[in-house]
Amino acid sequence: MEITNTCPWGRDIPHSTSARAEAENWGFWELLINRASLVMLSEQKILPPETVRRIARAQKKAEEKFTRPGEPPLSDIMPLEKALIEQCGQEATLIHTGRSRQDIFATLNQGRLRRSVLDLAQSMNEFRRTLLTIALQHVETLIPAYTNGVQAMPVTLGFYLWAFLEAFEREFDALREGYARVNRCALGSAVLANSAWPLSRERLAELLGFDGPITNSLDSSQVSLFDVPLEEAGVAGRAAVLISTLLADIAQQYAQTRPWLLLDQSSTYSSSAMPQKRNPGIINKARAKAGDVIGAVNTCFIRAHNLPLGMYDNKESVSEDNTAVFVKAVHLLALAKKTFELLRVHKDRALEELENDWTCTMALAEGLQMELGLPFRVGHNFASAVVTVARSEGWIPKNFPYGKAQQCFREVTAKLLGKEEELPMSEEEFRKFLSPGYVVRTRVGTGSPAPASTKAGLEAAGRRLAEDERWTASRCEAIDLARARLDRAFEALL
């Protein structure tokens, strides 16, 4: 999905998750289901060849009628049945053998849901690819990480984005696992308990590109309509939460007078009254869209929770006809992708931000314990005392007087050890422990922000992303191949 409008106002919500999803509407699926039904009825010898041929030719004429430009779209099976009857009489209704609106609607909505989920997968992968590209460029770009809105530790931008890439891997896992349940077929289960006709539900599923039928016929046309769409809607909702969290960190930069992370100025918009303003419209637009997705997910659950079986296909709740969960989620991912493509990182300013605060004092406490054998609490209280003095007197790590550090150490040891001791590190060592670069380089263990660790993690994320891209492409290709096989089988009936 291409984003052209980065301003937060005006309506530009797409109608579907993709142009292909737009084309695969109710009418598309009703025609496709008729083809599959006729092929299966012929193969199972439920209808004689001459009858099948006449209905197939009527179906072909109906397809020409309903796919003409300007023709009102199909939204029910009865207009299609009427068109078939016009071509070959009541004999045409034999195509409905063993079927019902229930299993037809359940199947066509499953097909539409399947396309929406694959479009979500593709959009998620495109966003992940953008994050990964940026992360690999900034494996050694030092930035502050925050807890409770306060600088906590120095890390790198690559490390920070790696964390979100891992989170999106989890969401893709959930999407992929859910897809195994999405890509099952209800057709052939009739109202809810099959029929007296020996239909091959397995063959119907195969012809329509599904992995197989939902086994229990009541589940297939009634029960699965509730939980299956909500499972994948949950993926969209959690992805929206992750993006919202990510964008909140970027938006916070605009509260500073000298941000280290900014949108390219060409993508911002100016104030109508304040000449100095450069507003990050796309960030605000994406954050609002995340709220739309989360709200739509909640609406789906609310709509589903009080409906009896047999009255409503809850897959409709998530579709573009109602809450449009996946449409909004795909739009959000496109907005987020565009936002990160427009970001400009100011490395020197990020380092200055780190060096102007006491973000590295944990390393100072660690150094006293690891290299000099002092108890943990002594080192921690000393580092805290240094920060207390520094902030009360306006010092930063680069210019904090070494003599004051020595005095802090004497006071802390007198209190905790019962006697004053001298600071057992030189001024050079004292400054080293307060260096952001030193701190990041010396983090060890699985998943640390050290450049080598981050690079390895991002390379693994790249391999995983490539696998997920291949999986998405293969699922789309499988659907296309099934469609081609169905078309060949149907044409053979004519």
Side-chain angles (χ1 to χ4, degrees):
M1 184 178 294
E2 187 66 28
I3 297 297
T4 56
N5 179 13
T6 60
C7 293
W9 57 77
R11 179 180 174 85
D12 65 346
I13 301 171
H15 295 291
S16 298
T17 52
S18 65
R20 184 154 185 184
E22 182 92 17
E24 294 176 357
N25 54 21
W26 275 51
F28 168 89
W29 273 99
E30 287 179 37
L31 296 174
L32 208 62
I33 286 169
N34 262 15
R35 283 191 168 209
S37 294
L38 204 53
V39 169
M40 184 277 299
L41 290 169
S42 174
E43 292 176 348
Q44 294 296 107
K45 298 182 170 43
I46 294 172
L47 297 182
E50 282 304 314
T51 300
V52 168
R53 184 174 295 109
R54 286 191 293 270
I55 299 174
R57 289 171 177 171
Q59 170 71 14
K60 191 81 169 177
K61 290 286 187 181
E63 290 175 359
E64 292 171 3
K65 167 183 168 62
F66 287 111
T67 56
R68 281 200 300 260
E71 185 71 22
L74 281 168
S75 59
D76 190 17
I77 61 171
M78 301 314 294
L80 177 55
E81 183 176 284
K82 181 181 178 182
L84 295 179
I85 293 170
E86 288 172 358
Q87 294 296 321
C88 66
Q90 289 297 323
E91 182 181 50
T93 63
L94 293 173
I95 198 172
H96 204 53
T97 300
R99 298 191 322 189
S100 163
R101 262 200 189 101
Q102 297 281 351
D103 63 331
I104 291 173
F105 283 8
T107 300
L108 71 85
N109 280 324
Q110 199 82 351
R112 295 169 70 212
L113 174 64
R114 176 174 70 182
R115 178 61 62 191
S116 293
V117 170
L118 289 175
D119 285 343
L120 177 66
Q122 182 173 336
S123 296
M124 196 180 294
N125 287 341
E126 289 171 357
F127 176 60
R128 291 164 66 195
R129 178 63 62 187
T130 297
L131 288 189
L132 179 62
T133 300
I134 296 170
L136 287 168
Q137 294 168 353
H138 294 282
V139 170
E140 298 191 27
T141 300
L142 296 167
I143 66 167
Y146 300 85
T147 61
N148 297 298
V150 179
Q151 274 199 48
M153 290 286 294
V155 294
T156 67
L157 182 56
F159 172 79
Y160 172 82
L161 294 177
W162 174 25
F164 282 90
L165 285 165
E166 282 206 350
F168 276 101
E169 284 179 14
R170 290 193 292 275
E171 292 313 320
F172 202 92
D173 284 340
L175 182 149
R176 186 168 172 171
E177 290 163 10
Y179 185 81
R181 288 174 279 282
V182 167
N183 201 36
R184 312 295 290 190
C185 184
L187 196 61
S189 61
V191 176
L192 55 83
N194 289 7
S195 71
W197 296 98
L199 307 185
S200 173
R201 295 186 59 211
E202 290 75 13
R203 180 58 170 153
L204 287 169
E206 181 185 19
L207 288 166
L208 294 171
F210 292 99
D211 293 330
I214 301 170
T215 305
N216 181 281
S217 58
L218 174 62
D219 184 25
S220 72
S221 61
Q222 305 286 337
V223 181
S224 65
L225 319 182
F226 287 86
D227 63 296
V228 171
L230 295 181
E231 180 179 12
E232 294 290 31
V235 174
R238 292 192 302 274
V241 170
L242 286 172
I243 291 172
S244 180
T245 303
L246 189 53
L247 293 177
D249 278 356
I250 299 172
Q252 192 176 34
Q253 288 287 308
Y254 275 83
Q256 298 192 32
T257 54
R258 296 178 60 234
W260 54 267
L261 200 58
L262 281 171
L263 293 174
D264 187 285
Q265 280 205 58
S266 64
S267 66
T268 59
Y269 69 93
S270 60
S271 166
S272 63
M274 295 166 283
Q276 80 281 8
K277 294 289 291 294
R278 300 294 183 272
N279 297 312
I282 192 170
I283 295 176
N284 295 328
K285 184 172 189 170
R287 294 175 77 188
K289 184 61 61 178
D292 290 343
V293 174
I294 295 164
V297 171
N298 287 326
T299 299
C300 294
F301 277 82
I302 292 168
R303 286 182 69 141
H305 90 286
N306 197 33
L307 293 170
L309 296 180
M311 285 188 65
Y312 184 74
D313 185 345
N314 193 55
K315 292 192 292 294
E316 282 287 298
S317 289
V318 302
S319 78
E320 55 266 40
D321 304 327
N322 292 290
T323 64
V325 168
F326 298 107
V327 176
K328 291 170 182 171
V330 166
H331 192 203
L332 166 62
L333 285 159
L335 285 166
K337 177 177 180 288
K338 186 70 171 180
T339 298
F340 275 86
E341 289 171 347
L342 294 169
L343 279 181
R344 301 296 177 261
V345 181
H346 301 277
K347 299 180 183 181
D348 293 343
R349 176 68 191 103
L351 179 59
E352 181 186 353
E353 185 80 0
L354 281 165
E355 291 178 338
N356 283 344
D357 206 345
W358 291 85
T359 312
C360 300
T361 48
M362 182 174 152
L364 180 61
E366 283 179 344
L368 288 167
Q369 178 186 353
M370 292 178 66
E371 296 190 14
L372 302 170
L374 288 174
F376 169 80
R377 195 53 63 191
V378 172
H380 183 278
N381 281 23
F382 163 64
S384 180
V386 167
V387 173
T388 299
V389 171
R391 285 182 173 159
S392 65
E393 298 180 7
W395 304 103
I396 61 174
K398 277 188 172 181
N399 63 15
F400 187 80
Y402 178 65
K404 287 186 180 289
Q406 292 173 308
Q407 181 58 35
C408 287
F409 191 80
R410 285 192 288 268
E411 292 172 359
V412 167
T413 52
K415 180 179 178 181
L416 296 182
L417 302 178
K419 63 176 182 176
E420 290 187 357
E421 293 190 7
E422 294 300 317
L423 179 60
M425 63 172 58
S426 66
E427 180 173 358
E428 182 180 359
E429 291 172 317
F430 176 73
R431 305 286 178 204
K432 176 187 75 173
F433 287 120
L434 294 175
S435 163
Y438 171 82
V439 173
V440 169
R441 287 193 304 274
T442 56
R443 300 304 93 184
V444 297
T446 302
S448 83
S453 168
T454 298
K455 187 172 184 293
L458 291 174
E459 288 172 350
R463 290 190 294 273
R464 170 57 197 274
L465 176 54
E467 177 190 330
D468 291 342
E469 289 168 335
R470 286 192 295 272
W471 179 87
T472 305
S474 70
R475 299 288 80 76
C476 293
E477 183 182 7
I479 294 168
D480 291 342
L481 290 172
R483 171 70 190 280
R485 287 193 293 268
L486 170 58
D487 288 345
R488 286 195 297 271
F490 175 78
E491 293 294 331
L493 302 177
L494 297 171

